Amino acid sequence: MKPASIPSRLPAWGLALAACALAAGCAGQPDRYYTLADPAALRTAPAAAPQAAPTMAIEVLPVGVPERLARPQMVVRTSAASPEVQVLEQHRWSASFEKELRDALSSGIATRLGAIDASKTPAAAGLRPWRIAVQVARFDAVEGERVDGAFTWTLRRAGTPQQLDCRLDTSVAAGAGMAALAQASGEVAARLAKTIADAIASADAAAGEARTLRCPAPGGMS
């Protein structure tokens, strides 16, 4: 196939702009897209009767992330000890990182609990959703080494005064290549989803009891 031609009658600056546009159109297309979605959540979901009505609802609020991460491009460190980061135009999440993480957490938590995701489906009458607010304190990915994640998260049931404020720090080893780095990033998100789901299950079981909600022990996130 012949390359697109540039009209010869354009002025010099026009030729330059046209050439830049053609080059950007070819070089700007990402080669790979990745997701943080956790396929393992479907295999670990609790069995439920097909006709059973959900008894729980969850709602993950928009996730707060550092400004450098609020983009679809993957952002990686050149090494764990280096302050230098790279924004990879050719390797992107399927949505902006904060939206990708919110979707992964919503689906991961809801699936593990057999709950309604109130942000996507109106909750059944009488169900007060557990509202989850997550803030990413740190998310550092180093190809061939590891992905480190630090998160603060708040859990509160709509219409109740009780609130649980917790933190999770976790690290997952990453193999060589961007696909392996994306997979390790997904495992970090999955650990956070499991930790929050475990906290909701514990809090829901204690409903009506006069006892203080507690953050899950770090050992329960594996």
Side-chain angles (χ1 to χ4, degrees):
M1 182 177 64
K2 293 183 178 180
S5 60
I6 301 173
S8 58
R9 294 183 180 178
L10 285 175
W13 61 267
L15 289 171
L17 286 177
C20 288
L22 287 174
C26 295
Q29 294 299 318
D31 291 335
R32 296 288 185 272
Y33 288 93
Y34 305 94
T35 181
L36 290 171
D38 176 21
L42 298 176
R43 299 194 296 270
T44 59
Q51 303 301 321
T55 59
M56 188 186 302
I58 63 106
E59 181 181 1
V60 178
L61 303 177
V63 176
V65 301
E67 187 174 351
R68 69 179 182 279
L69 297 175
R71 63 183 75 230
Q73 297 93 333
M74 293 182 71
V75 179
V76 302
R77 283 190 181 273
T78 54
S79 74
S82 173
E84 181 182 354
V85 297
Q86 295 178 335
V87 178
L88 305 181
E89 292 291 342
Q90 303 303 310
H91 298 276
R92 302 189 182 196
W93 301 111
S94 61
S96 190
F97 177 76
E98 71 276 14
K99 295 179 181 178
E100 184 73 21
L101 181 56
R102 183 189 183 188
D103 286 346
L105 293 176
S106 294
S107 60
I109 296 168
T111 301
R112 285 178 170 83
L113 296 172
I116 289 176
D117 183 351
S119 65
K120 298 178 180 177
T121 305
L127 289 183
R128 291 176 300 176
W130 289 96
R131 293 201 173 113
I132 305 127
V134 175
Q135 174 69 46
V136 179
R138 179 166 55 91
F139 198 93
D140 291 332
V142 184
E143 182 187 355
E145 293 188 26
R146 66 180 189 269
V147 177
D148 297 326
F151 311 90
T152 56
W153 54 276
T154 298
L155 176 65
R156 184 172 184 175
R157 194 167 200 173
T160 66
Q162 283 186 308
Q163 180 170 303
L164 189 63
D165 297 295
C166 301
R167 180 181 176 92
L168 174 67
D169 292 271
T170 189
S171 182
V172 176
M178 298 312 299
L181 197 64
Q183 185 175 13
S185 298
E187 175 59 27
V188 168
R191 288 186 181 187
L192 178 58
K194 182 182 185 301
T195 301
I196 296 174
D198 288 347
I200 293 175
S202 177
D204 196 67
E209 298 181 16
R211 70 186 193 191
T212 303
L213 301 181
R214 297 184 182 277
C215 296
M221 70 182 184
S222 58

